[in-house]
Amino acid sequence: MANIKSAKKRILVARDRADRNKAIRSGVKTAIKKVYAAIEAGDKAAAQAELTAATKTIEIAGSKGVYHKNNVARKVSRISKAVNEMA
């Protein structure tokens, strides 16, 4: 454990940020799973709605610095492609 006051604070702040980032990442994964679940069910309207929600969630995560912009673009592209390829 650190002895210096500022180092102790950095440990606490890093822990808080890690927890926040973990929650945001979890939300992104859940949103992506919902899109794929709608695709599996064959419901195009639901898939489109979930795609919109998931895209928003992913882009917010990117703006907060949880994901790199290229990672955000890749995730959005993959789920968009999956929805667009539905019959």
Side-chain angles (χ1 to χ4, degrees), residues 15-35:
R15 188 177 301 147
D16 288 345
R17 287 186 174 190
D19 290 343
R20 187 174 301 123
N21 289 346
K22 196 177 294 185
I24 292 170
R25 279 196 192 98
S26 177
V28 168
K29 288 179 188 176
T30 302
I32 291 172
K33 284 179 188 175
K34 286 181 181 178
V35 172

Side-chain angles (χ1 to χ4, degrees), residues 14 28 37 46-47 50 62 80:
V28 168
E50 292 297 342
S80 298

Side-chain angles (χ1 to χ4, degrees), residues 11-81:
I11 291 168
L12 295 175
V13 171
R15 188 177 301 147
D16 288 345
R17 287 186 174 190
D19 290 343
R20 187 174 301 123
N21 289 346
K22 196 177 294 185
I24 292 170
R25 279 196 192 98
S26 177
V28 168
K29 288 179 188 176
T30 302
I32 291 172
K33 284 179 188 175
K34 286 181 181 178
V35 172
Y36 285 118
I39 291 170
E40 288 294 318
D43 191 350
K44 180 91 170 176
Q48 287 284 358
E50 292 297 342
L51 173 64
T52 304
T55 301
K56 182 177 179 183
T57 304
I58 294 167
E59 288 179 351
I60 288 172
S63 71
K64 294 192 180 299
V66 177
Y67 289 115
H68 188 273
K69 64 175 185 164
N70 291 354
N71 194 341
V72 169
R74 185 176 67 244
K75 287 180 185 301
V76 170
S77 176
R78 284 181 179 169
I79 60 174
S80 298
K81 183 179 177 192

